[in-house]
Amino acid sequence: MSDYNFAYLDEQTKRMIRRAILKGLAIPGYQVPFASREMPMPYGWGTGGVQVSAAVLTPEDRFKVIDQGADDTTNAVSIRRFFEKTAGVAVTEATTEASVIQTRHRIPEAPLREDQILVYQVPIPEPLRFLEPSEVETRKMHSLEEYGLMHVKLYEDISQHGAIATAYAYPVKVEGRYVMDPSPIPKFDNPKLEMAGIQLFGAGREQRIYAVPPYTHVVSLDFDDYPFEPTKADHACDLCGATDSYLDELIMDDAGGRMFMCSDTDYCGTRCAAGHCGAQGTPLAEDAA
Amino acid sequence: MITVENVSKSFVLHNQGAAEISVMAGASLSVAQGECIALVGASGAGKSTLMRMIYGNYLTQSGRIMVGDLDVVTAAPRQVIQLRRTTLGYVSQFLRVVPRVSTLDVVAEPLMATGSDRATAEAQAKTLLHRLNIPERLWQLSPTTFSGGEQQRVNIARGFAYPYPALLLDEPTASLDPTNRATVLAMIAEAKARGAAIIGIFHDHAARDEICDRQFDVTQYTPGLAA
Amino acid sequence: MTPLLQVEGIAKMYGARIGCTDVSFDLYPGEVMGIVGESGSGKSTLLNCMAGHLQPDAGAVRFDTRTEGLRDTVTMSEPERRMLSRTDWAFVHQHARDGLRMNVSAGGNVGERLMAVNARHYGDIRDKAIDWLGRVEISADRIDDRPTAFSGGMQQRLQIARNLVTGPRLVFMDEPTGGLDVSVQARLLDLLRGLVREMGLSAIIVTHDLAVVRLLADRLMVMKDGHVIESGLTDQVLDDPQHAYTQLLVSSVLQV
């Protein structure tokens, strides 16, 4: 064990955050202000998500962190180690084994279960900020359900690009009431926002927490004649051959060589281990063992 | 149709030592349907003032001015607006219009304001403009750039576009050539024939004698001028 | 006949200073009322009290709502009042940038009020925006330009289109022609007059320009030091002013 209090934050702070989380769950999509603490990492590195994770972690939890789908990036590794050290919790890279998953910019491909919590890192929680700089005004718009402005943003997209060009942080309406920024996940992930697991969103710099309880109705905003479409690269994963996962495009050389691979590294790895193989993948050899 | 009973009018010029100028006292006048009355009297005797009082353009201090069944002296602004729209027409000496509005629209407006559709209103406006010899090439232009005589004829066309039961005419034949003068007099006669009550100011004595049934000398009610 | 707007005893204080006080009048459907007075006379304060931008200290502003008849907008709930201000009411600001979203295209500006009342068909919204741009004499090929690329007169016309697209019944205007060239002013006045007549709009226009009210307003209120000192038919007040201040105001207009 370490000399830190469990999961770094003191108990009073964790209770304060839990109250904000409970309020957020009670009012799906509503941004609950909370007294965000200084964390031993800079803003923009997931201070909001880390505080939410600290508040929900118990010693029995198994913790997973992904950054843009990957478990092995600097940010993910750092946060995983942070809680390994300060909370002593078990960690994992397997989505199905984790009880708490902190994420930046993705929802795992494997469907989450009722006993799992997904914690999002949120840079700008206010979906109306694009057009309305005043916080007083945006709060009033939420309270009075005046969301015409959200469609103005989508209108601008279509008028300038011929289609809704917003590809990430695509606004949604939660349980027919609050319009919410789902954090910068690709809009491919939007349909997955209706899930069995608990979703918690933490914005450290902006001091807001909001939540989507299990099985909550989440609708991506659109126009009747320009319906919402989740999009991904029109390709299969070159490593595992999956056609249903969100893909990263990787430039391989100076000659224009490229490959597409699952952004969810655990999903890809699990499929490869099960014997699936993409165009540029290495087939699971019998002699590997 | 128009009954003026014992009306008085004075102006208080607050910015000139609150000087009070009494311009009319105890005037009474009645005009029946189909009748045309000429207001006469020396310049400054109050002919235009009386006309403006009847139109509601000037406030009246005391007395009654009935046009139809509305007392203009005590009526609310919206009642006067309604009266002007459907009952009481006024052809002033000077044309006052919004810049940029075409002559055709200026003439058609009183009809549009009373619910005519655009086609009907424009057709009627064209008939009148033709009759008053306004060249067709001018119809789409604003009358603000026209000559005095042309402006006067546009003003008359506008005043006669809607068949008001009561009409006020301030020098309708001034600055008109003989042909147009005859046309305007014919139009006034037609208005009389359909039953309009008309009060007019005519410096053109021949026209006055031709069209008016009676004369009404305002001088007798002008304080300081009455003999 | 039910008045569209019934203002009764409106007063607004700024500390010990009077913003406006004891203002009462009825406005009937289709009427255009002008409010004139010099800077600081309380005309803008009054307008903002009526339009729900300022909370008056006393008085009632009753509006003939579509469903429930006359309702006091001062005491109605904020959501109801805001709903009115994006459906049945319109507000044209003196400075277009106060009434427009400068970082949104002309089409988006016009479409916002439609989307605010749940228009969800892009093609329909765009058709309506093009129609309205045409009605305020902005060509359809400017629909995707931002207002920052427009001249002052165009911005003002865009603001009018943005306000009238939902077919309001009452328009509040605060110096709508202020700061525009005279030729641009004339064009705007002509446009406003046509729209008022075609749509049967009622309007309250605050201005210090007597020529504007003579052309647009049926009725006129003259304000000084927060009080209404004279009111009546526009041409009557201008041609036969009774109050010393109104006489001064009318006689101070420069003749061209």
Side-chain angles (χ1 to χ4, degrees):
Chain A
M1 274 304 286
S2 67
D3 294 330
Y4 291 106
N5 189 43
F6 178 75
Y8 186 76
L9 290 173
D10 63 276
E11 293 305 309
Q12 288 302 329
T13 298
K14 286 193 283 185
R15 276 181 207 163
M16 176 270 292
I17 295 172
R18 283 174 200 142
R19 281 194 293 271
I21 291 171
L22 287 173
K23 182 169 179 180
L25 284 165
I27 317 170
Y30 172 72
Q31 298 166 47
V32 185
F34 81 110
S36 179
R37 296 291 193 254
E38 290 286 335
M39 297 302 286
M41 62 184 72
Y43 288 129
W45 286 64
T47 53
V50 165
Q51 290 179 79
V52 170
S53 292
V56 299
L57 277 174
T58 64
E60 295 75 36
D61 272 316
R62 187 171 285 271
F63 191 57
K64 166 183 164 83
V65 185
I66 50 174
D67 178 358
Q68 310 232 27
D71 292 88
D72 51 4
T73 58
T74 313
N75 196 253
V77 170
S78 302
I79 293 173
R80 196 165 58 230
R81 285 194 184 150
F82 175 75
F83 282 113
E84 258 185 307
K85 181 168 183 183
T86 61
V89 292
V91 296
T92 178
E93 294 192 2
T95 303
T96 50
E97 286 171 22
S99 56
V100 176
I101 303 170
Q102 180 169 333
T103 177
R104 174 176 173 268
H105 299 190
R106 273 311 310 275
I107 297 176
E109 304 291 356
L112 296 192
R113 301 181 310 267
E114 290 180 1
D115 61 347
Q116 291 178 303
I117 297 175
L118 186 61
V119 177
Y120 295 79
Q121 302 170 199
V122 181
I124 298 167
E126 179 49 72
L128 299 164
R129 187 63 72 233
F130 168 77
L131 293 161
E132 181 51 66
S134 159
E135 173 71 13
V136 174
E137 187 61 22
T138 52
R139 279 209 218 182
K140 188 161 272 176
M141 290 159 92
H142 280 295
S143 63
L144 300 179
E145 230 181 316
E146 290 180 2
Y147 289 133
L149 202 52
M150 211 62 250
H151 274 85
V152 172
K153 182 180 188 299
L154 301 178
Y155 170 94
E156 291 291 282
D157 256 12
I158 301 172
S159 70
Q160 280 162 30
H161 308 290
I164 298 178
T166 301
Y168 62 94
Y170 193 102
V172 294
K173 195 164 202 179
V174 182
E175 202 62 20
R177 179 57 182 85
Y178 284 94
V179 165
M180 185 188 91
D181 183 336
S183 88
I185 58 172
K187 66 178 170 183
F188 173 82
D189 283 345
N190 270 26
K192 290 190 249 168
L193 288 161
E194 290 186 345
M195 63 160 70
I198 294 173
Q199 298 171 83
L200 306 175
F201 298 78
R205 180 181 47 213
E206 303 285 328
Q207 311 198 327
R208 293 290 183 277
I209 285 172
Y210 50 102
V212 176
Y215 305 113
T216 300
H217 200 41
V218 181
V219 178
S220 303
L221 301 181
D222 61 2
F223 286 102
D224 297 344
D225 47 345
Y226 285 83
F228 170 78
E229 275 179 72
T231 53
K232 64 183 273 286
D234 188 17
H235 213 275
C237 175
D238 283 326
L239 296 180
C240 76
T243 54
D244 59 353
S245 72
Y246 192 71
L247 301 175
D248 286 340
E249 184 179 2
L250 216 63
I251 306 295
M252 303 302 289
D253 51 40
D254 289 345
R258 63 188 61 200
M259 68 182 287
F260 290 90
M261 51 193 280
C262 294
S263 103
D264 185 335
T265 49
D266 171 57
Y267 183 73
C268 200
T270 307
R271 277 177 56 84
C272 288
H276 296 283
C277 189
Q280 299 180 45
T282 319
L284 194 65
E286 277 81 26
D287 60 338
Chain B
M1 187 67 208
I2 304 175
T3 312
V4 178
E5 289 173 28
N6 197 26
V7 297
S8 302
K9 172 72 185 165
S10 59
F11 293 104
V12 180
L13 305 178
H14 292 283
N15 300 307
Q16 290 169 35
E20 181 167 350
I21 302 171
S22 184
V23 293
M24 187 161 294
S28 294
L29 165 69
S30 178
V31 188
Q33 290 197 330
E35 197 180 17
C36 179
I37 304 282
L39 301 183
V40 296
S43 183
K47 301 186 294 292
S48 287
T49 299
L50 180 58
M51 196 171 266
R52 284 166 171 244
M53 284 159 70
I54 296 170
Y55 196 58
N57 180 229
Y58 280 1
L59 285 184
T60 303
Q61 262 79 31
S62 65
R64 286 207 315 163
I65 300 176
M66 299 300 295
V67 179
D69 44 15
L70 184 73
D71 182 2
V72 177
V73 176
T74 55
R78 71 186 177 91
Q79 293 173 304
V80 178
I81 292 167
Q82 186 60 25
L83 182 81
R84 291 177 178 182
R85 194 168 292 156
T86 59
T87 310
L88 182 62
Y90 179 39
V91 177
S92 64
Q93 273 177 283
F94 304 102
L95 181 66
R96 190 170 341 230
V97 293
V98 182
R100 235 174 58 104
V101 177
S102 78
T103 298
L104 195 61
D105 286 347
V106 166
V107 177
E109 196 190 359
L111 287 167
M112 307 264 296
T114 46
S116 295
D117 62 78
R118 179 169 282 279
T120 315
E122 283 190 0
Q124 168 73 350
K126 286 176 182 172
T127 309
L128 281 162
L129 289 170
H130 259 307
R131 195 169 171 195
L132 288 159
N133 299 309
I134 302 290
E136 197 164 340
R137 63 190 156 79
L138 298 181
W139 292 359
Q140 294 306 325
L141 303 178
S142 163
T144 45
T145 54
F146 292 5
S147 74
E150 284 165 341
Q151 288 199 7
Q152 175 69 352
R153 279 178 279 146
V154 171
N155 211 8
I156 290 165
R158 178 180 162 89
F160 280 84
Y162 180 84
Y164 299 102
L167 264 175
L168 305 172
L169 307 174
D170 194 349
E171 298 275 14
T173 55
S175 65
L176 293 187
D177 59 75
T179 319
N180 285 314
R181 176 176 168 279
T183 306
V184 171
L185 289 178
M187 286 168 66
I188 298 172
E190 286 161 24
K192 271 177 71 177
R194 65 167 165 78
I198 301 172
I199 296 177
I201 300 170
F202 300 86
H203 283 154
D204 174 355
H205 290 195
R208 183 175 75 199
D209 296 340
E210 181 184 333
I211 205 77
C212 294
D213 304 302
R214 296 190 274 137
Q215 295 189 3
F216 180 80
D217 190 351
V218 296
T219 316
Q220 53 185 320
Y221 303 110
T222 314
L225 278 184
Chain C
M1 192 178 190
T2 314
L4 184 68
L5 190 75
Q6 197 170 51
V7 175
E8 197 180 308
I10 284 294
K12 176 75 186 172
M13 303 292 291
Y14 297 110
R17 199 162 52 80
I18 295 174
C20 65
T21 186
D22 197 25
V23 181
S24 301
F25 66 91
D26 289 347
L27 186 77
Y28 287 85
E31 275 186 338
V32 177
M33 190 165 82
I35 303 176
V36 297
E38 59 199 6
S39 304
S41 61
K43 52 192 197 303
S44 290
T45 298
L46 173 61
L47 190 75
N48 283 314
C49 283
M50 292 189 286
H53 299 170
L54 276 177
Q55 175 82 20
D57 298 321
V61 179
R62 284 184 278 272
F63 180 74
D64 184 21
T65 59
R66 287 177 202 243
T67 50
E68 294 169 86
L70 284 174
R71 294 269 322 269
D72 185 4
T73 62
V74 175
T75 52
M76 73 168 46
S77 71
E78 190 174 12
E80 287 179 292
R81 192 164 53 241
R82 281 173 72 116
M83 181 53 106
L84 269 187
S85 59
R86 46 172 207 267
T87 53
D88 268 349
W89 290 359
F91 197 104
V92 177
H93 293 264
Q94 174 177 7
H95 301 292
R97 54 182 59 243
D98 295 334
L100 292 174
R101 291 194 189 277
M102 299 305 280
N103 57 350
V104 167
S105 70
N109 264 293
V110 177
E112 182 177 343
R113 269 171 81 110
L114 294 172
M115 292 182 249
V117 291
N118 291 321
R120 291 292 178 264
H121 191 283
Y122 175 83
D124 291 351
I125 292 166
R126 203 162 167 86
D127 288 346
K128 266 210 163 137
I130 289 173
D131 174 43
W132 266 97
L133 290 178
R135 289 165 82 162
V136 299
E137 302 170 23
I138 296 173
S139 72
D141 59 12
R142 304 297 302 268
I143 187 170
D144 294 328
D145 292 349
R146 292 188 175 184
T148 41
F150 287 3
S151 68
M154 274 174 83
Q155 288 181 2
Q156 203 58 298
R157 295 201 300 278
L158 178 62
Q159 197 193 173
I160 288 164
R162 167 181 161 91
N163 269 284
L164 298 189
V165 67
T166 48
R169 292 188 291 152
L170 175 60
V171 186
F172 300 101
M173 299 189 214
D174 190 2
E175 301 274 10
T177 59
L180 299 177
D181 294 338
V182 281
S183 58
V184 178
Q185 271 192 26
R187 191 173 175 189
L188 192 71
L189 286 174
D190 173 29
L191 175 75
L192 283 172
R193 242 171 54 103
L195 291 172
V196 163
R197 192 183 54 205
E198 280 164 32
M199 300 177 71
L201 291 175
S202 303
I204 297 177
I205 302 172
V206 159
T207 180
H208 61 262
D209 189 337
L210 297 183
V212 168
V213 288
R214 192 185 275 278
L215 293 176
L216 283 181
D218 307 309
R219 292 167 54 194
L220 189 58
M221 278 195 338
V222 183
M223 291 192 73
K224 182 168 169 46
D225 301 331
H227 296 265
V228 174
I229 54 163
E230 185 163 358
S231 65
L233 281 172
T234 303
D235 60 280
Q236 180 262 304
V237 173
L238 294 180
D239 292 342
D240 186 15
Q242 305 294 306
H243 194 279
Y245 174 72
T246 317
Q247 291 185 357
L248 181 68
L249 203 64
V250 171
S251 64
S252 304
V253 175
L254 296 175
Q255 300 290 327
V256 182

